[in-house]
Amino acid sequence: MVKEDKKEIILNHAERLFSENGYDGASTRAIAKDAGVNMAMLNYYFGSKEGLYKAVFLRKFSGFYESLLQIISSPLSSWEKITRYVDIYADRIVKHNCFHRLMTYELSIQQRSEMTDIIVEHLLKNINIGKTIIEEGIKEGVFRKVDPEMTIATIFGSMYYVVNLKNITSALLNVDMHDPEVVINDIKPRIKKHLAALLEAHLKV
């Protein structure tokens, strides 16, 4: 139990330092010091900096796809499914903003092809759940014949823009996006409400 706790502590600190400094700017020594462990323990769990970096991503991906998949098989209507999908993703992006900022950074530089492939593979699986929900709604005749791919891009573009471009959205929304309580209590409900209204106008027949 103690070993598992230490491993999680290392991953938490690594996630934060990688997101703040990038892969090249976050040393394993700095991560170990920040996590309050020695280098031997860090290497025991992860083997290398690359191994630690990969573990940060795989931990977050683990299990999330299955939770989204349950929406598809649920007895909810297509409209309830897509709003549920958006709500779950908005919750996740806000709660794990540090990780999503890191993921966005990794995809933007595209220097470590193996890591990029892992991220793209997992993201596409999650994104395709939303696409499937929209396509099912179109097939059932309850959604208009919209462009499913561009609709998904609109959903994610809105969420990532608001949450990740904090300096811009702080000025745009007249709030302090660097304050976690503001983001959780004010901005997250606002994102959900806006996307629900946007999707209702866009999708419903």
Side-chain angles (χ1 to χ4, degrees):
M1 185 65 176
V2 174
K3 288 184 178 179
E4 291 178 357
D5 289 343
K6 283 292 185 184
K7 187 174 181 179
E8 287 298 306
I9 288 170
I10 295 169
L11 285 169
N12 288 337
H13 287 270
E15 181 181 320
R16 182 177 62 79
L17 290 177
F18 279 135
S19 71
E20 290 176 355
N21 305 299
Y23 178 84
D24 295 324
S27 70
T28 50
R29 288 194 178 278
I31 292 168
K33 181 179 179 181
D34 204 58
V37 302
N38 56 41
M39 284 295 297
M41 180 173 287
L42 188 148
N43 290 329
Y44 170 76
Y45 285 124
F46 306 104
S48 65
K49 183 178 181 179
E50 187 71 27
L52 174 58
Y53 193 64
K54 188 181 293 185
V56 167
F57 282 93
L58 293 179
R59 177 180 68 154
K60 280 291 189 292
F61 289 136
S62 177
F64 186 56
Y65 172 70
E66 284 72 21
S67 68
L68 293 176
L69 203 58
Q70 290 176 4
I71 301 174
I72 293 287
S73 58
S74 71
L76 299 172
S77 68
S78 293
W79 172 246
E80 290 170 329
K81 286 179 181 179
I82 196 62
T83 53
R84 177 67 180 146
Y85 175 84
V86 169
D87 283 352
I88 288 176
Y89 240 114
D91 287 339
R92 184 173 177 83
I93 289 174
V94 169
K95 182 178 181 181
H96 303 290
N97 178 232
C98 187
F99 170 73
H100 283 274
R101 187 167 66 248
L102 175 61
M103 186 168 60
T104 302
Y105 171 78
E106 180 64 32
L107 290 173
S108 70
I109 58 173
Q110 298 184 3
Q111 290 179 353
R112 284 170 293 279
S113 60
E114 181 188 2
M115 197 68 252
T116 301
D117 288 346
I118 290 172
I119 295 170
V120 169
E121 177 189 350
H122 284 85
L123 276 181
L124 281 177
K125 285 169 62 178
N126 296 341
I127 287 170
N128 281 333
I129 295 290
K131 180 184 169 185
T132 298
I133 294 170
I134 294 171
E135 289 173 340
E136 285 183 355
I138 294 172
K139 188 176 180 180
E140 292 167 357
V142 295
F143 289 166
R144 279 196 271 270
K145 292 182 179 179
V146 300
D147 184 330
E149 292 82 8
M150 290 305 296
T151 302
I152 289 295
T154 299
I155 293 170
F156 282 91
S158 297
M159 289 192 285
Y160 278 106
Y161 182 92
V162 171
V163 175
N164 288 333
L165 300 181
K166 294 182 184 295
N167 290 332
I168 294 175
T169 51
S170 288
L172 175 67
L173 304 175
N174 196 30
V175 297
D176 183 5
M177 289 295 294
H178 298 280
D179 184 339
E181 288 192 8
V182 169
V183 177
I184 292 170
N185 298 324
D186 180 18
I187 300 305
K188 184 172 73 172
R190 192 171 170 182
I191 291 172
K192 290 182 178 183
K193 183 179 179 181
H194 169 71
L195 285 175
L198 192 71
L199 289 171
E200 184 172 18
H202 180 60
L203 291 174
K204 284 193 173 181
V205 174

